[in-house]
Amino acid sequence: MKKKISFSGKGNRADIGDIAIHRILPNRYANAVGPFVFLDHMGPQMLTKKMKAGTGAHPHRGIATLTYILSGEGEHYDSAGNHAKVRSGGIQWMKAGSGIIHDETANPDSQTANPYLHGFQFWINLPSKIKTEKPEYMDIQAAKVPLKQLPDDSGWLKVIVGSYEDLKSGIPNYSEQFLYHIHLEPDKRVSVSFTEKTEVAAFLPAQNAKINDAEYLAGEFVEFDRNEGEIEIKNTSKDVLDILLFGGEHYDEPIVAMGPFVMNTEHEISQAYNDFYKGKYGTINYKNKS
């Protein structure tokens, strides 16, 4: 049985500097899908030397940030001393935990000189028992992202978060969660099954697609019911199709979000701001900045 569509819609513009951003989650219908409480879609756009293509240093607490770069290069710095560059197809994951300051900059891919930026940033809500643990950071280049070829030369599926059949992502799991990138060839289809109570949404970054027999447009966010069932994706165009599927088990603790912090109570939000203003999150050392 195919899962029913709960709703669909497009995000709102939330540009950062010269980077074109569409904020997909939260939206007027949903504050979270499983543990995912935030999704920004970056680009696609061409980068130039004159562009301001960075977030600037800013804090987080209570979440893990995950940046997935389809095209371009992301450079990361944080106040725990981490510095890395992730190129096209790579992932950056940072557990903010008790508090951290980070700065992310977008650049053309240094290996291919591809000037286009296209990517996503998710926020993954952490369970209350680990919201104040020590921060952590991990980067995974494209070659180490688990990938499975789909039957009938239909395309491939990458596991960015969670697991799929015999594949498992290197990103830590603190609850049942998944993020899949499906790449589907023209005139092909794929079906993915989900168990009862699993929260799941799809996002179409650049192409239209037929999902469970209904047509959806590029830029649309589609959320499904929580019954057991399948999501069938058909690529009816002459171009390849990319689509994200993400979600997981319901986050059953209170969610209080304000600015860059996601906690469980308003008091914890207040404490997060107080600790930040007191300098408890540290500072970033940019001595290796390129």
Side-chain angles (χ1 to χ4, degrees):
M1 180 180 295
K2 294 179 181 178
K3 292 175 71 66
K4 294 182 180 179
I5 308 296
S6 299
F7 67 87
S8 64
K10 293 193 174 185
N12 297 313
R13 287 297 289 264
D15 295 359
I16 299 176
D18 293 324
I19 299 300
I21 301 287
H22 281 86
R23 185 143 299 157
I24 309 303
L25 187 71
N27 56 55
R28 62 183 296 186
Y29 302 105
N31 291 321
V33 181
F36 295 91
V37 293
F38 181 93
L39 168 57
D40 267 0
H41 178 211
M42 301 175 285
Q45 69 185 108
M46 181 178 288
L47 296 175
T48 67
K49 293 181 179 180
K50 295 181 179 180
M51 293 178 68
K52 182 180 179 182
T55 61
H58 60 282
H60 285 296
R61 188 172 188 165
I63 58 172
T65 64
L66 184 142
T67 303
Y68 177 42
I69 301 169
L70 291 185
S71 177
E73 183 173 277
E75 186 168 19
H76 169 96
Y77 291 89
D78 65 44
S79 56
N82 298 300
H83 171 233
K85 293 182 180 181
V86 172
R87 295 175 294 278
S88 300
I91 306 164
Q92 292 179 336
W93 175 87
M94 182 187 75
K95 184 174 80 173
S98 59
I100 196 169
I101 297 172
H102 77 151
D103 189 353
E104 294 177 295
T105 303
N107 304 290
D109 191 313
S110 59
Q111 287 192 340
T112 65
N114 185 342
Y116 283 92
L117 169 68
H118 193 191
F120 313 89
Q121 183 169 95
F122 291 85
W123 292 2
I124 302 171
N125 201 2
L126 298 176
S128 59
K129 64 183 179 181
I130 64 168
K131 276 187 178 289
T132 56
E133 286 187 345
K134 184 179 179 181
E136 298 178 24
Y137 174 79
M138 177 185 298
D139 58 89
I140 302 175
Q141 298 293 352
K144 294 186 178 181
V145 178
L147 180 149
K148 174 182 286 291
Q149 297 295 329
L150 298 173
D152 191 30
D153 296 322
S154 298
W156 47 255
L157 182 151
K158 285 185 179 181
V159 179
I160 311 303
V161 174
S163 60
Y164 180 82
E165 295 182 352
D166 59 333
L167 300 182
K168 184 176 181 180
S169 169
I171 300 298
N173 275 341
Y174 301 108
S175 64
E176 291 296 326
Q177 58 184 14
F178 60 89
L179 169 55
Y180 306 144
H181 172 190
I182 297 174
H183 184 84
L184 202 58
E185 295 294 330
D187 298 319
K188 296 293 186 178
R189 69 181 68 190
V190 64
S191 291
V192 183
S193 298
F194 295 94
T195 57
E196 188 176 3
K197 297 184 179 181
T198 300
E199 298 182 2
V200 55
F203 178 63
L204 292 164
Q207 297 97 357
N208 300 349
K210 185 168 284 189
I211 303 174
N212 285 359
D213 302 318
E215 189 76 26
Y216 293 94
L217 303 178
E220 281 201 84
F221 167 93
V222 183
E223 188 173 58
F224 302 84
D225 67 17
R226 299 180 186 178
N227 296 324
E228 180 180 359
E230 292 185 341
I231 296 175
E232 182 187 62
I233 303 160
K234 298 179 183 178
N235 183 1
T236 56
S237 75
K238 296 180 180 180
D239 299 316
V240 294
L241 167 70
D242 290 288
I243 185 170
L244 301 181
L245 292 179
F246 64 96
E249 66 179 300
H250 178 68
Y251 187 91
D252 59 4
E253 299 179 295
I255 301 174
V256 181
M258 185 174 294
F261 306 123
V262 182
M263 304 301 292
N264 300 114
T265 67
E266 291 185 1
H267 174 73
E268 291 172 342
I269 290 288
S270 178
Q271 190 63 54
Y273 275 104
N274 288 338
D275 288 348
F276 169 63
Y277 290 128
K278 289 178 181 178
K280 292 185 177 182
Y281 296 178
T283 57
I284 298 176
N285 184 347
Y286 289 103
K287 69 178 182 178
N288 297 319
K289 193 169 180 63
S290 55

